[in-house]
Amino acid sequence: MAFFDYSPELVEAGKKAMELCAPQFAEFDRMAEYNGERVLKAFIDNRISDIHMKGTNGYGYGDDGRDKLDAVFAQILGAEDALVRHNFVNGTHAITTALFGILRPGDELLSVTGDPYDTMQGVISGDGIGSLKDFGVKFGKVDLLPDGTPDYDGIKRRAGTCRMAYIQRSRGYSLRPSLSIEVIAKICEAVRSVNPDCVIFTDNCYGELVEEKEPVSVGADLIAGSLIKNLGGGIAETGGYIAGRKDLVELCAYRLNAPGLGKELGCTLETPRDMYLGFYYAPGVVCEAIKTAIYAQCMLELLGKNPIPRYCDDHNDIVTCFDAGTADALIGFCQGIQAASPVDSYAAPEPSPEPGYTDEVVMASGSFTQGSTIELSCDGPLREPYTCYLQGGLNFAASRAGVLLAVQNAYFKD
């Protein structure tokens, strides 16, 4: 508290929030310990050595470090196989590779969690840009119920003929709850009851290592996500992953590389060390991000806001969202986060067009890795009710300062 000029009212609210959050913090410290031991066991079981940290060039034939990294990820994620590559440019790219790897003309992709988030819209239904629609893949959806929970009866009515059921674990740019592993298991059961051969795919972004299991362990066939979110631990500089059934992962590798070549090639350059190290640190970093989320939720609730989730609720991802109320408050909150960033703290984010989004978006991200959302960041589209999405936080002490400055900039300015 000594280094920033917080208002006295904010300081008192911050102290109260720390007291209220203590039980939740203790639970996620336990989760970090559990998942940390799981990750350590996977490294030991796969006999990871210094030689695996060395990158390869050219075709990358016989890259044992690449193959061992796949094995470590598969073990932790409860999967038969994994495809972990630096040349996935983001989570949407990894997800897109999985969709195009599995789906064929005439197949139906059924989203069982309503509309996917903005950047997936072009992938699914964009005209003339090489979307799934352009390749003859049909799209359907089962909307969530008014309370944001899955419509299990609706899923059973619609899933009987689809090739793939698509589950979005996190909330995207919406106020619906993120999905717990327990809920994902129930969705899988509903789909399987009417279509045993359906491929169940989960967009796992923001949810990794928040619970003791991942979606593949409870019925999903395939998951995908980004390494500049949870599993990169703030150290991986780029990349993404796909994990699940071995035959499906192989099809995804054919799509990423070339049919018939798949996982057999692809050099790793200088990336393996950061990817291994980031994964090793990920359980603790995810814990710090969740603590940041819980603290922010408590602070916002003390100010009369209604964050989702509440600080005392179950947490299934690292994201917090709340209605800022006005465009000025949304922009002010983001500018406060930026002001507390280790990189580009002097910058003041302003709304601007963003590829893949229909509205201007204001984004705060003073991160060591561009666009990293395991690092403290927040953003929101400039549309009513001016909902703000906060995520990340590599260490709670610094991220707490960011939350306080954001709240002060949005709601305590003179």
Side-chain angles (χ1 to χ4, degrees):
M1 294 286 185
F3 298 99
F4 298 98
D5 187 21
Y6 304 124
S7 70
E9 300 91 340
L10 187 63
V11 170
E12 289 305 309
K15 290 178 180 177
K16 184 174 182 180
M18 288 294 290
E19 295 171 2
L20 292 170
C21 293
Q24 284 72 32
F25 286 180
E27 169 57 21
F28 280 100
D29 283 336
R30 184 202 66 78
M31 187 68 68
E33 182 178 353
Y34 177 87
N35 284 327
E37 289 190 8
R38 281 207 301 139
V39 169
L40 176 60
K41 185 66 161 54
F43 274 68
I44 293 170
D45 288 349
N46 287 281
R47 300 174 64 85
I48 301 306
S49 168
D50 176 71
I51 193 65
H52 298 125
M53 310 293 159
K54 313 299 183 185
T56 56
N57 55 29
Y59 293 132
Y61 286 127
D63 189 332
D64 195 40
R66 177 195 65 207
D67 298 340
K68 287 283 190 177
L69 186 64
D70 287 346
V72 170
F73 266 70
Q75 181 170 332
I76 293 301
L77 297 172
E80 293 178 0
D81 200 2
L83 182 68
V84 187
R85 297 293 182 272
H86 71 277
N87 49 317
F88 284 125
V89 301
N90 57 18
T92 299
H93 183 202
I95 294 163
T96 300
T97 301
L99 298 184
F100 275 94
I102 306 304
L103 295 167
R104 300 290 182 266
D107 287 345
E108 181 185 27
L109 170 66
L110 180 69
S111 173
V112 296
T113 48
D115 285 314
Y117 55 80
D118 298 54
T119 58
M120 289 304 301
Q121 298 298 324
V123 174
I124 293 167
S125 58
D127 287 317
I129 59 172
S131 67
L132 290 169
K133 179 183 176 182
D134 287 344
F135 281 85
V137 175
K138 297 174 286 186
F139 175 73
K141 65 173 180 172
V142 179
D143 286 323
L144 297 167
L145 297 173
D147 64 355
T149 58
D151 180 358
Y152 299 110
D153 291 335
I155 291 170
K156 291 177 181 179
R157 286 193 297 270
R158 286 286 285 108
T161 58
C162 68
R163 168 61 174 153
M164 178 183 285
Y166 179 97
I167 301 169
Q168 182 180 301
R169 184 172 181 179
S170 195
R171 69 191 78 251
Y173 275 161
S174 72
L175 292 178
R176 61 96 160 165
S178 55
L179 304 183
S180 67
I181 290 296
E182 181 181 4
V183 168
I184 291 171
K186 290 179 180 178
I187 293 174
C188 293
E189 289 172 7
V191 172
R192 294 270 183 251
S193 70
V194 296
N195 190 349
D197 297 327
C198 179
V199 175
I200 301 175
F201 172 81
T202 302
D203 169 0
N204 206 31
C205 287
Y206 295 112
E208 300 96 341
L209 300 180
V210 174
E211 298 190 61
E212 294 182 358
K213 294 181 179 180
E214 300 297 330
V216 174
S217 299
V218 296
D221 296 298
L222 206 62
I223 58 176
S226 167
L227 294 189
I228 60 169
K229 296 184 175 69
N230 297 27
L231 291 186
I235 295 173
E237 294 183 280
T238 188
Y241 73 92
I242 298 170
R245 269 173 38 193
K246 189 174 182 64
D247 60 324
L248 299 178
V249 171
E250 188 69 16
L251 289 174
C252 297
Y254 291 158
R255 177 68 188 188
L256 177 64
N257 292 331
L261 299 179
K263 296 183 69 182
E264 298 299 319
L265 78 161
C267 68
T268 49
L269 302 176
E270 302 301 320
T271 62
R273 179 185 178 278
D274 288 349
M275 295 169 86
Y276 276 108
L277 186 60
F279 195 26
Y280 180 73
Y281 271 95
V285 171
V286 169
C287 177
E288 296 293 279
I290 296 174
K291 285 183 176 180
T292 302
I294 290 169
Y295 180 76
Q297 291 152 12
C298 191
M299 284 293 297
L300 290 163
E301 190 164 314
L302 290 173
L303 293 173
K305 303 299 175 182
N306 296 301
I308 299 174
R310 295 186 63 203
Y311 75 95
C312 51
D313 287 344
D314 291 338
H315 286 69
N316 306 312
D317 65 7
I318 65 170
V319 181
T320 298
C321 63
F322 69 99
D323 291 342
T326 66
D328 285 345
L330 171 59
I331 296 168
F333 194 91
C334 289
Q335 290 180 344
I337 291 292
Q338 188 72 39
S341 298
V343 180
D344 293 332
S345 59
Y346 54 84
E350 295 289 346
S352 62
E354 195 73 22
Y357 297 93
T358 56
D359 299 276
E360 286 191 332
V361 177
V362 58
M363 290 190 171
S365 179
S367 54
F368 292 95
T369 297
Q370 186 186 79
S372 170
T373 47
I374 190 60
E375 301 182 55
L376 185 63
S377 57
C378 75
D379 53 272
L382 264 288
R383 61 185 181 223
E384 293 183 343
Y386 302 105
T387 306
C388 185
Y389 298 84
L390 174 75
Q391 55 274 320
L394 295 180
N395 72 79
F396 176 66
S399 299
R400 181 189 180 203
V403 170
L404 289 171
L405 285 175
V407 168
Q408 179 156 287
N409 204 46
Y411 300 110
F412 282 84
K413 291 177 72 174
D414 293 332

